[in-house]
């Protein structure tokens, strides 16, 4: 799309969460984004403030970003099993970087908002938020995650248009002073 000028942009989130107990909650996240984005004139592949989409018809509307349920179960030997079901972003749980992970407050684009290890499939018609399920098992040293996500706006197409991910995350602490985080994806 050709933008006349960069102009200003505005975004807002309304997050409502119901915590049932320490291991179970439900969250709804409504978002609003308007404007052409910081790099409108640059015509880059991933916009700096990624909540502003290039499609002019996708702005100036409140949209449902997240609506999901999460439950965790304590397992023997300090392991934990977690399941998330609903609508959320693939990079809410995969390709996560603790220092650079917020596209809105850090003005990062999708290519570097997290680790940028891979260009994951997502529902682009819904600002990158997809229906799906994610499971994880792990402890303080490692985690194994699996996700199945729709890449289409319609949940009934999940068997035809989907993305599957698996991740192994290792979090060693070398000599008790040098924490590390290593992620492997399939």
């Amino acid at each position: 799309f050709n933008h006349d000028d960069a102009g200003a942009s505005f975004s807002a989130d309304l997050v409502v969460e119901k915590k049932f107990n320490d291991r179970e909650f439900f969250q709804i996240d409504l978002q609003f984004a308007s404007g052409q984005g910081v790099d409108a004139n640059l015509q880059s592949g991933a916009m700096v403030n990624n909540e502003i989409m290039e499609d002019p018809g996708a702005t100036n509307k409140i949209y449902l970003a997240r609506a999901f349920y999460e439950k965790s179960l304590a397992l023997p030997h300090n392991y934990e099993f977690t399941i998330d079901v609903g609508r959320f972003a693939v990079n809410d749980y995969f390709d996560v970087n603790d220092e650079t992970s917020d596209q809105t407050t850090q003005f990062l684009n999708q290519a570097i908002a997290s680790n940028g290890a891979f260009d994951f499939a997502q529902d682009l018609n819904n600002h990158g938020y997809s229906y799906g399920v994610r499971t994880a098992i792990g402890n303080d040293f490692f985690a194994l995650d699996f996700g199945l996500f729709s890449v289409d706006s319609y949940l009934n197409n999940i068997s035809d248009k989907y993305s599957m991910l698996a991740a192994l995350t290792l979090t060693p602490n070398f000599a008790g002073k040098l924490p590390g985080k290593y992620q492997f994806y399939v």
Side-chain angles (χ1 to χ4, degrees):
F1 298 97
N2 293 321
H3 298 288
D4 295 331
D5 58 29
S9 62
F10 172 80
S11 64
D13 284 64
L14 174 64
V15 179
V16 178
E17 184 173 292
K18 169 62 176 162
K19 192 172 187 179
F20 301 106
N21 54 50
D22 288 341
R23 297 188 169 273
E24 187 176 14
F25 70 91
F26 180 77
Q27 183 185 95
I28 292 178
D29 178 5
L30 297 174
Q31 296 184 5
F32 173 82
S34 179
Q36 297 178 3
V38 173
D39 67 345
N41 285 332
L42 301 177
Q43 299 293 306
S44 63
M47 302 180 82
V48 171
N49 43 343
N50 195 55
E51 77 276 11
I52 306 296
M53 302 301 283
E54 287 190 33
D55 182 0
T59 60
N60 296 321
K61 297 176 186 170
I62 295 174
Y63 58 92
L64 178 67
R66 293 175 183 89
F68 69 97
Y69 170 78
E70 179 175 293
K71 181 162 180 78
S72 297
L73 301 169
L75 300 174
H77 307 292
N78 293 325
Y79 283 89
E80 184 173 274
F81 175 79
T82 304
I83 185 166
D84 297 279
V85 178
R87 181 180 176 81
F88 43 88
V90 174
N91 64 345
D92 284 345
Y93 298 103
F94 292 90
D95 200 26
V96 176
N97 182 324
D98 297 334
E99 284 74 31
T100 58
S101 60
D102 193 321
Q103 298 171 23
T104 304
T105 62
Q106 296 172 335
F107 293 100
L108 299 171
N109 70 14
Q110 186 173 8
I112 61 171
S114 295
N115 292 325
F118 57 92
D119 186 14
F120 50 85
Q122 58 188 299
D123 180 3
L124 294 176
N125 290 330
N126 284 300
H127 297 265
Y129 296 96
S130 302
Y131 293 104
V133 60
R134 171 250 179 185
T135 59
I137 188 167
N139 58 22
D140 290 340
F141 178 72
F142 95 101
L144 184 60
D145 291 75
F146 176 77
L148 174 67
F149 300 93
S150 171
V151 295
D152 191 88
S153 301
Y154 302 101
L155 195 54
N156 59 347
N157 288 343
I158 195 167
S159 62
D160 297 327
K161 300 177 182 179
Y162 61 90
S163 173
M164 290 189 300
L165 297 168
L168 171 65
T169 303
L170 302 174
T171 52
N173 194 345
F174 299 105
K177 297 179 182 178
L178 297 170
K181 188 171 192 178
Y182 304 92
Q183 297 172 318
F184 305 91
Y185 302 97
V186 175

